[in-house]
Amino acid sequence: MDKKLRRTIIAGNWKMNKDRQQTAAMIAELIPLVKGKDCGIALCVPYTDLETALNAAKGSNIAVGAQNCHFEESGAFTGEISAGMLTEMGVPTVIIGHSERRQYFGETDETVNKRVKAALTAGLEVILCVGETLTQREQGITGEINSMQLKIALSGVSEAELRRVIIAYEPVWAIGTGRTATPDQAQEVCAQIRGVLAGLYGQKAAQGVTIQYGGSMNAQNAAELLSKPDIDGGLIGGASLKAPDFAKIIEAACM
Ligand code: PGA
């Protein structure tokens, strides 16, 4: 199957940045810059900005996402937000398994799997993040780590549900460091990831999955990364915080 048959998706991950006023202002600035672009565009914002972002992006080609959700529907889980709470607001997308969640908040492959399943059951689209640390890359286990993270995260996810899953390959050593994976490094792992998906769901299903690269992607390096056959988009942190920077990446990615 041809790469062109997959949806190119550029998603911003704002992490813990921007208040509501800044959210409304940036989306208002971004809308005219990306008008008519024929690819998926999303901004994953803090929970407290979701409603503002949904209102600001209404009627535009910008989708709004959250950055995590819990696996239970409700209950005694102080500080958590359920998948159903997101869909009830009209949020279509959620990031699950970001390395910062794994690194700082005790997220494991098992809890990532539970969150992925809960999000899909609630009807959300999931951006599932996987990626190796620098030590793991130096130990030569990049393929094994990404394969393991992927297989555990997708355990119990059906082929029909996989159509609502985007994979973000984010090498931990490239996130927020300014040290981007080379296009060849990123392509190598994204192709491996597609191979793992083919093993789990068959070639046809695997060819339909959008695989993003994430980690210091910016307006300068986006076009070359996105020219690779298995890189279908980007998950962008720092460079998604300013409308002109983010728009330049979208310009590089989408017709
Ligand atoms: P970065 O973050 O673009 O700032 O490296 C990417 C991410 O964490 O998703």
Side-chain angles (χ1 to χ4, degrees):
M1 196 194 273
D2 198 83
K3 178 178 180 177
K4 289 186 197 79
L5 297 174
R6 288 191 287 272
R7 202 160 158 249
T8 300
I9 300 171
I10 301 293
N13 173 13
W14 281 2
K15 311 192 179 184
M16 195 172 73
N17 289 293
K18 294 195 190 290
D19 61 21
R20 288 177 299 171
Q21 203 192 329
Q22 292 164 333
T23 297
M26 165 147 168
I27 292 176
E29 190 184 349
L30 186 64
I31 288 172
L33 299 177
V34 301
K35 198 168 173 222
K37 292 289 170 205
D38 187 22
C39 65
I41 303 171
L43 283 174
C44 299
V45 306
Y47 292 128
T48 48
D49 293 330
L50 283 170
E51 187 151 28
T52 303
L54 286 166
N55 285 329
K58 204 174 275 173
S60 77
N61 55 345
I62 301 166
V64 172
Q67 299 171 11
N68 192 22
C69 70
H70 196 258
F71 41 83
E72 295 293 344
E73 283 174 30
S74 62
F77 301 100
T78 301
E80 292 287 327
I81 302 278
S82 74
M85 290 172 179
L86 297 176
T87 52
E88 191 266 338
M89 289 186 78
V91 172
T93 300
V94 66
I95 297 173
I96 303 281
H98 190 279
S99 67
E100 285 152 16
R101 298 294 320 167
R102 297 176 191 256
Q103 207 176 338
Y104 306 134
F105 302 101
E107 202 79 65
T108 64
D109 290 326
E110 285 70 27
T111 58
V112 168
N113 173 238
K114 285 166 122 183
R115 289 178 204 256
V116 166
K117 284 193 288 193
L120 290 170
T121 300
L124 289 160
E125 173 185 71
V126 170
I127 300 178
L128 165 63
C129 302
V130 297
E132 80 287 356
T133 63
L134 185 59
T135 309
Q136 291 164 338
R137 176 164 280 268
E138 286 168 355
Q139 288 166 339
I141 55 170
T142 296
E144 287 91 334
I145 291 292
N146 285 294
S147 165
M148 186 182 70
Q149 288 183 3
L150 204 59
K151 285 181 181 169
I152 298 175
L154 292 175
S155 132
V157 171
S158 70
E159 190 186 328
E161 287 173 322
L162 184 73
R163 293 193 200 109
R164 281 186 284 123
V165 177
I166 296 157
I167 309 292
Y169 165 55
E170 297 208 307
V172 178
W173 48 272
I175 294 176
T177 57
R179 186 177 164 195
T180 318
T182 65
D184 286 341
Q185 282 173 325
Q187 163 59 26
E188 186 186 5
V189 181
C190 289
Q192 276 168 3
I193 286 172
R194 202 175 302 286
V196 172
L197 293 174
L200 294 173
Y201 297 97
Q203 267 300 339
K204 192 164 174 275
Q207 287 298 329
V209 176
T210 294
I211 303 179
Q212 298 174 320
Y213 166 78
S216 301
M217 198 178 200
N218 58 39
Q220 283 71 47
N221 59 32
E224 207 189 337
L225 284 159
L226 292 164
S227 71
K228 294 292 175 184
D230 287 289
I231 305 178
D232 310 312
L235 184 57
I236 326 287
S240 74
L241 291 169
K242 289 195 182 128
D245 295 351
F246 192 50
K248 273 189 212 132
I249 298 174
I250 292 160
E251 189 73 41
C254 324
M255 292 300 118

